[in-house]
Amino acid sequence: MDRALRHGKLCARAMIRRCDDHDFELVWTIINDGASAYKGTIPKDRWSEPYMSREGLRHEIGEGVAFWGYEESEALAGVMGIQDVADVTLIRHAYVRTGSQGHGIGGSLLSYLRGLAKGPLLIGTWADAAWAIRFYEKHGFQMVSPSEKERLLRKYWTIPERQIETSVVLASPEWRNAQRT
């Protein structure tokens, strides 16, 4: 007998899928909803309303960020981007709807995208977003040194100087192993 039926409730079917043009507004909405956690945490000069504009999202997609979504009960609950840049793969713009946070959606997306990565993974996030750093560390990523962070952000990301100052970079074990050789 189906486990969900034994517990007397229907099991929502969840899947991870590539987001397409039809999902643009949903991706934009999820990013801005999930990013509300940063308000009051990141430097005030880095916060904007909305956190990411539609033009900003179009720019990121145009630069090669491919978004994947966690769909539950036929609705997107979270999104995460992946971008191949030179010899690494970046995880970009990882957000889960506020009401769906803490249910493993981010971890599922990260695990799935790790399987798609063509190179060692790097992740940038805000230095003051302790919960985000803990999330990535829980999934095996480690923060790089401040000098390495600056080098990596300048090499693989196109972000303002102020964002470089207020961010951290976390690296996958594969990236760390590649640095040792």
Side-chain angles (χ1 to χ4, degrees):
M1 180 187 288
D2 184 271
R3 181 173 179 246
L5 293 175
R6 280 197 313 263
H7 291 285
K9 58 185 171 185
L10 292 176
C11 179
R13 299 232 183 247
M15 69 175 203
I16 295 174
R17 65 173 178 82
R18 173 82 186 260
C19 297
D20 62 24
D21 293 341
H22 295 91
D23 298 310
F24 181 87
E25 285 296 316
L26 282 171
V27 170
W28 180 78
T29 299
I30 291 168
I31 288 172
N32 285 296
D33 177 59
S36 66
Y38 293 131
K39 189 172 187 175
T41 301
I42 66 172
K44 289 180 182 174
D45 65 327
R46 297 287 84 212
W47 179 258
S48 62
E49 292 280 349
Y51 178 73
M52 181 182 284
S53 67
R54 285 178 178 88
E55 295 76 26
L57 178 56
R58 283 187 194 96
H59 174 78
E60 292 297 292
I61 293 168
E63 291 293 310
V65 178
F67 283 91
W68 290 77
Y70 184 97
E71 190 172 84
E72 192 171 55
S73 301
E74 299 182 26
L76 280 181
V79 296
M80 191 174 287
I82 188 169
Q83 182 182 27
D84 293 317
V85 179
D87 56 338
V88 301
T89 299
L90 305 178
I91 295 295
R92 307 288 312 274
H93 312 297
Y95 296 99
V96 175
R97 287 187 189 272
T98 304
S100 299
Q101 292 173 357
H103 300 287
I105 293 170
S108 293
L109 280 165
L110 183 58
S111 177
Y112 188 85
L113 293 186
R114 277 181 119 156
L116 298 179
K118 294 180 181 167
L121 284 165
L122 296 174
I123 300 170
T125 192
W126 298 103
D128 289 339
W131 69 92
I133 294 167
R134 280 192 307 272
F135 167 79
Y136 292 119
E137 288 175 338
K138 181 176 117 178
H139 290 279
F141 290 79
Q142 292 182 337
M143 242 189 304
V144 302
S145 71
S147 60
E148 187 69 353
K149 167 204 82 156
E150 288 199 23
R151 184 185 76 77
L152 294 171
L153 288 173
R154 291 179 201 290
K155 182 174 181 178
Y156 297 114
W157 280 265
T158 305
I159 58 174
E161 190 65 31
R162 179 73 170 126
Q163 194 167 343
I164 291 171
E165 295 168 9
T166 57
S167 294
V168 295
V169 172
L170 295 101
S172 67
E174 298 81 9
W175 183 84
R176 292 195 173 280
N177 291 340
Q179 300 310 299
R180 290 185 190 120
T181 58

